[in-house]
Amino acid sequence: MEAKLNVAVFISGGGTNLQSLIDAAADPDYPARIAVVISSSKKAYGLTRAENAGIPGVVLRKKDFESKEAYTVRLLEVLKEHDTDVICLAGYLKLIPPEVVRAYRNRILNIHPALLPKFGGKGMYGLRVHQAVLEAGETVSGPTVHVVDEIYDNGEILAQREVSVIPGEEPESLQKRVLEQEHKVYPEVLRRVCEEIQSGKR
Ligand code: GRF
């Protein structure tokens, strides 16, 4: 088997998607290992999930640095220290610095809880997304996994899963069903991307 690729997972919150990646990577045949978890918040429960799985967790907040540049330098250093091959954003609420996008071009993935290109962009996260889907009268929603570039929710779409909207439902109930699909699709796409990198296709 090819050497496993090292994945850095970026979180800001609960980290249920992080958990789905940790669980998938427990399979000896999975082409990736979760090498480090980087959090934009000290309080993110995802840090506990990382600790429970024996994965190093690092809190990196722009406000703790004297400049944006110093923050970016440290972020790149942490990624290097863990030999990062691929980055997965999993409920990460900050924009990735353009220097990091350039350093990991085509190797940064994000999961978004709606069918992009609709219902994406700055400020579209959490329940707001599902609320917008319901207000627009959509009959289907579902997660999108895409490549991250310099613009929010903009890069190449790698996979989408459809979830039917139940007429009259609340955003919380739609969120729950979309999240169930997120937990399936993200590990699948990460596997595919890692296999593509290993075979020189990406
Ligand atoms: C998910 O809905 C994901 O699509 C979005 O943020 C949420 C994160 O949830 N990007 P969790 O922290 O993985 O539970």
Side-chain angles (χ1 to χ4, degrees), residues 5 11 23 30 49 51-52 55 63 78 82 94 100 106-107 109 119-120 143 151 157 161-162 164 178 189 196:
L5 298 183
I11 60 163
D23 293 346
Y30 199 76
R49 296 179 188 275
E51 198 184 337
N52 290 342
I55 299 165
K63 65 175 181 194
V78 171
H82 294 277
K94 308 285 177 192
V100 177
N106 281 321
R107 291 177 174 221
L109 314 183
F119 309 109
I151 303 164
I157 290 174
R161 290 287 179 276
E162 290 197 350
S164 300
V178 171
V189 175
E196 284 172 6

Side-chain angles (χ1 to χ4, degrees), residues 11-15 39-49 58-61 63:
I11 60 163
S12 299
S39 177
S40 64
S41 157
K42 270 187 188 165
K43 289 185 238 151
Y45 181 68
L47 287 168
T48 306
R49 296 179 188 275
V58 180
V59 177
L60 279 182
R61 301 180 302 182
K63 65 175 181 194

Side-chain angles (χ1 to χ4, degrees), residues 11-20 46 49 89-93 110-114 124-126 129-130 143-144 153 175 178-179 182-183 186:
I11 60 163
S12 299
T16 63
N17 279 288
L18 163 66
Q19 191 65 55
S20 75
R49 296 179 188 275
L89 309 186
Y92 187 67
L93 299 176
N110 180 43
I111 187 152
H112 183 77
M124 276 302 241
Y125 62 87
V129 178
H130 304 289
T144 301
D153 298 330
Q175 180 181 48
V178 171
L179 202 54
E182 293 183 35
H183 298 158
Y186 211 2

Side-chain angles (χ1 to χ4, degrees), residues 79-91:
L79 291 169
K80 215 169 170 191
E81 279 164 19
H82 294 277
D83 289 324
T84 304
D85 298 299
V86 176
I87 295 172
C88 285
L89 309 186

